Amino acid sequence: MNSFVAIDAPQISFHYRLPFGAEYLGQERTRFRLWAPQANTVAVELAADGDGYRSVPMQPEGDGWFSIDTDCAAHSQYRYALMTQNAGQLHVPDPASRCQAGDVHADSVVIDATAYAWQNQSWRGRPWHETVLYELHVGALGGFAGVTQRLPELAALGITAIELMPVAEFPGAYNWGYDGVLPFAPDASYGTPEQLKLLIDTAHGLGMMVFLDVVYNHFGPDGNYLNSYAESFFRHDSSTPWGQTIDYRRPQVADFFACNALYWLQEYRFDGLRLDAAHAIGEPQWLSTLAQRVQDAIASEAAELGGGRRHVHLVLEHDGNAASLLDGGAGNTGRYAAQWNDDGHHVLHVLLTGEQGGYYADYAEQPAQKLARCLQEGFIYQGQASPYRDYVARGEPSAALPPTAFVLFLQNHDQIGNRGRGERLTQLAAPAALQAALALVLLSPQIPMLFMGEEYGAQQPFYYFTSHADPALAEAVRSGRRKEFARFPEFADDAMLASLPDPNSFATFMASIPEPVDTHSLPSAQQWLAYCYKLLQIRRLAISPYLNGAVALGAEAIGAAAVHARWHLNNGKVLAIVLNLAATAVPLALEQLAAPLAGADVLFDSGGVLKTLADGELAQHAILVLCTEAA
């Protein structure tokens, strides 16, 4: 049976048939299937119209599987009742729930996946080199409906792809999303499955892709019942910093998450996924297997639908700088389009703020040389010893990869929210230096990413927040944050630690919401928006179309915080960037640069930079971006 099906009746709908969970069969019939190897018996309990449930015993299939086809209409609420060997009687939601009636402990809901009629049926996505990412937190922007309302202004700005922080059902009403426990269910606090599909459909109508951040390395601490009836879902010889290690050696487990990826990509029509902390997945080979499975599924989908193959992109977060998994969007077998370039962020943060604590220590020495390496080769750490990690080697060689294999950014949810005060760079860096660095991110050949609010210079913090109902769990999170930051000099005394925002406070969540932009009363916001718009227009017209096959020609440090980098574009021209993030000018003559700039087309000049270079210096907080003829 083909897992993916498109139904034309009369508007096209998309359905990914899961081999487990609740599959609505039509005509008020539903198939239920659960893997519960520690269970003696399993029944599905269907919520009655009044109080109580109607219990339907499920039949054992062997190898821990139980299933039943039964009368059950769409939108019915249900749960599983299990008699287990160790935990006794349990009532649990479906681990493959497509929707929850409430929070993570509530009943699951049977969903008719074909109920939403897609309007932009012919959407085939966009090639990777056109990507300009905008990461956002759905809850902070008003749920699925609120994000949908924001899409036209983001499209007009020049954003070509939004990336949603995880939406899978998590405990409580506000959370970063990395505590999810039901990976197939959009969180009820954000809206309905149909509202999420409308968000994606609307984005496609505006020419925008939609990416989803998914967490395949652990489950959250509240609402995960799998260990009670499927303890072999987890390894017991290792753990992650966030919970038990998921056992990808078991085919049932590997298939669970592969199906999750395909479900989001094919039923919801997401254009790509970003795999959170992929280095914490215990079986690295699974990453290649997943990429290949996605590529095969999208090819089969194209054959079924006709009209050409969709552009679908997979992106990694990987602390190991796994260059061998990347291809820059070329579509090679078992490869990922790109990886978030934490190296690039970290060295830019050091140059902008002077901070050297924590992992920034790895970038404190010769930061300009490190930035040059990032611009030329992608990763800075390609097997070198990391001082922060007790001089353990980190990374793989990346010089052979195209620049589009790296996602470059100044800010994201982690790099802001994992600070004690949640400060954005608008609170930490000189404005002119920050604008120059933003121009580098948006005009370099690496794939750029903005974090919500960055486009208008938001001042609000973005904190880490949760909404655990269990007081003990809330206190564990609270004390864990205090213990983490007790190592930092700025939190050396108890009073400073006590002043840290409470992650479980609703006020902490509310303080993290970027304020709506009123450009009439906030001229600085208007200036930031105009600046971003100008940069993204330059990228759209002069850079993005020529990135396929782009090659770095070289990069060099030309000052303590200054670099010059060049790339050969596929139109035969050379893109050159000269940048100085220091608060002082750098003595520099045009003829000292690796390539002559006379006669070049000036794509962007932060303010008289070409003239100051002609006078023998590169001004402070300056950036010049040019396009020259190849030698």
Side-chain angles (χ1 to χ4, degrees), residues 214-377:
V214 292
V215 182
Y216 293 160
N217 55 69
H218 76 288
F219 287 92
D222 187 16
N224 172 30
Y225 294 91
L226 281 166
N227 219 353
S228 300
Y229 61 85
E231 62 182 27
S232 45
F233 208 96
F234 303 97
R235 297 182 64 155
H236 301 280
D237 57 350
S238 65
S239 64
T240 75
W242 316 284
Q244 289 179 284
T245 302
I246 295 168
D247 194 350
Y248 279 90
R249 298 170 301 181
R250 297 190 179 276
Q252 298 91 337
V253 176
D255 196 51
F256 182 84
F257 289 104
C259 286
N260 183 260
L262 294 172
Y263 161 79
W264 291 122
L265 293 170
Q266 296 196 282
E267 187 163 301
Y268 278 84
R269 317 307 287 165
F270 277 100
D271 300 276
L273 304 174
R274 178 258 192 191
L275 275 65
D276 175 68
H279 54 272
I281 291 174
E283 292 296 308
Q285 181 57 40
W286 181 83
L287 292 170
S288 296
T289 302
L290 174 66
Q292 182 60 61
R293 188 164 172 177
V294 167
Q295 290 162 354
D296 292 344
I298 299 304
S300 297
E301 174 190 304
E304 178 177 337
L305 295 177
R309 181 170 175 164
R310 268 199 306 148
H311 293 284
V312 169
H313 312 293
L314 300 179
V315 179
L316 292 174
E317 180 196 29
H318 199 298
D319 191 59
N321 284 356
S324 57
L325 288 170
L326 310 177
D327 69 6
N332 294 322
T333 299
R335 300 290 182 89
Y336 288 71
Q339 180 182 308
W340 277 22
N341 195 348
D342 283 345
D343 279 356
H345 166 273
H346 295 347
V347 72
L348 284 167
H349 189 92
V350 168
L351 287 165
L352 287 170
T353 69
E355 292 182 5
Q356 299 183 10
Y359 44 65
Y360 293 128
D362 280 354
Y363 306 86
E365 185 178 345
Q366 297 185 316
Q369 286 85 344
K370 287 182 168 62
L371 177 58
R373 189 177 203 206
C374 165
L375 295 175
Q376 179 172 339
E377 300 183 9

Side-chain angles (χ1 to χ4, degrees), residues 34 36 39-44 56-59 64 66-67 80-83:
L34 176 71
N40 297 321
T41 63
V42 179
V44 59
V56 182
M58 297 173 66
Q59 303 303 313
F66 296 81
S67 66
Y80 293 122
L82 306 93
M83 180 58 70

Side-chain angles (χ1 to χ4, degrees), residues 70 128 156 181 228 236 243 246 265 268 270 285 289 342 354 358 381 389 457 470 475 484-485 504 544 560 598:
T70 190
W128 176 244
V181 293
S228 300
H236 301 280
I246 295 168
L265 293 170
Y268 278 84
F270 277 100
Q285 181 57 40
T289 302
D342 283 345
Y381 281 87
R389 295 169 174 80
D470 181 353
E475 177 55 32
E484 176 184 356
F485 288 108
N504 215 56
S544 288

